[in-house]
């Protein structure tokens, strides 16, 4: 019986060592999802000739392989129209002094940490989160890691919005850089030999 308990204990230790970094993976997934949806978001609809003349903007039906491709493009376009527009993403996921102090949209401070300006911005922030986040999540635990990361990202966004202040009230603050570099600072200060 002692041998069985010993084997179970050793297997449990292996599972603890190999467990996935759930919070880090989830945060990366959330950031990529928000950026992807914003990239696919339709622009605001403009009034054009097709809005006044019925049937003007509809393409003529095409048959064969080209018709299947055209149908697929049409389905994708209809799906994109169901997504929230860029105005939604910019209103809720981009912080600025005007939005926070004057518009009282405080939700933009934590949400702006999930929005990125382009693929390179997203890539470098997520690489930092991947390499430092996995390590710190194992040290701090899932709950404390999430609290640390989200709080540091929100505080960094609030400080940046405050620094912009009234001189530049409409400059948008976005990105996970505050939270990502808080992970780098924590690792540098408390685990310098890692």
């Amino acid at each position: 019986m002692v041998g069985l308990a010993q084997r179970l204990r050793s297997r449990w230790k292996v599972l603890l060592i190999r467990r996935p970094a759930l919070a880090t993976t989830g945060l990366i997934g959330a950031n990529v999802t928000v950026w992807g949806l914003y990239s696919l978001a339709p622009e605001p609809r403009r009034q054009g000739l097709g809005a006044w003349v019925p049937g003007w903007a509809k393409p003529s039906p095409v048959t064969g392989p080209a018709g299947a491709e055209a149908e697929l493009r049409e389905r994708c376009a209809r799906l994109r129209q169901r997504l929230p527009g860029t105005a939604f993403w910019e209103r809720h996921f981009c912080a600025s002094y005007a939005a926070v102090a004057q518009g009282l949209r405080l939700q933009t401070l934590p949400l702006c940490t999930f929005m990125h300006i382009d693929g390179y911005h997203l890539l470098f922030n997520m690489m930092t989160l991947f390499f430092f986040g996995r390590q710190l999540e194992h040290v701090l635990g899932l709950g404390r890691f999430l609290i640390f990361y989200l709080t540091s990202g929100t505080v960094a966004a609030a400080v940046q919005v405050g620094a912009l202040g009234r001189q530049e009230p409409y400059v948008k603050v976005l990105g996970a850089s505050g939270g990502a570099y808080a992970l780098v600072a924590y690792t540098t200060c408390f685990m310098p030999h890692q």
Side-chain angles (χ1 to χ4, degrees):
M1 194 61 146
V2 174
L4 177 65
Q6 184 68 24
R7 283 190 307 203
L8 288 175
R9 195 174 300 123
S10 67
R11 286 184 183 169
W12 179 250
K13 286 181 183 177
V14 168
L15 283 176
L16 286 178
I17 292 170
R18 292 185 184 172
R19 74 184 165 137
L22 296 176
T24 303
T25 307
L27 287 170
I28 291 171
N31 278 281
V32 170
T33 301
V34 167
W35 179 75
L37 288 173
Y38 177 71
S39 298
L40 292 174
E43 294 292 326
R45 292 187 182 93
R46 292 180 177 81
Q47 295 293 329
L49 189 58
W52 293 317
V53 181
W56 179 268
K58 292 182 181 175
S60 61
V62 180
T63 59
E69 186 178 325
E71 183 181 341
L72 179 63
R73 272 196 224 124
E74 184 181 330
R75 284 184 181 179
C76 289
R78 281 194 308 239
L79 180 64
R80 283 186 69 191
Q81 293 303 321
R82 292 182 182 172
L83 293 174
T86 54
F88 168 83
W89 296 102
E90 290 173 0
R91 178 173 172 78
H92 295 289
F93 285 83
C94 294
S96 67
Y97 183 80
V100 174
Q102 297 163 359
L104 294 177
R105 291 187 307 211
L106 298 177
Q107 79 275 10
T108 59
L109 289 174
L111 291 179
C112 75
T113 62
F114 295 101
M115 176 68 81
H116 293 81
I117 195 72
D118 62 7
Y120 293 115
H121 185 205
L122 176 74
L123 175 70
F124 289 116
N125 279 338
M126 294 306 102
M127 282 178 46
T128 305
L129 177 59
F130 178 76
F131 288 113
F132 288 92
R134 289 182 313 153
Q135 187 177 14
L136 280 181
E137 185 178 350
H138 289 300
V139 171
L140 297 175
L142 185 119
R144 286 190 288 171
F145 171 76
L146 277 174
I147 290 171
F148 175 74
Y149 177 80
L150 294 174
T151 302
S152 60
T154 302
V155 168
V159 168
Q160 184 65 33
V161 165
L164 289 170
R166 294 184 182 158
Q167 290 85 17
E168 299 178 29
Y170 296 102
V171 172
K172 296 175 184 170
V173 175
L174 46 94
S177 300
Y181 291 106
L183 299 177
V184 173
Y186 187 94
T187 303
T188 304
C189 292
F190 294 108
M191 298 184 294
H193 301 293
Q194 293 286 330

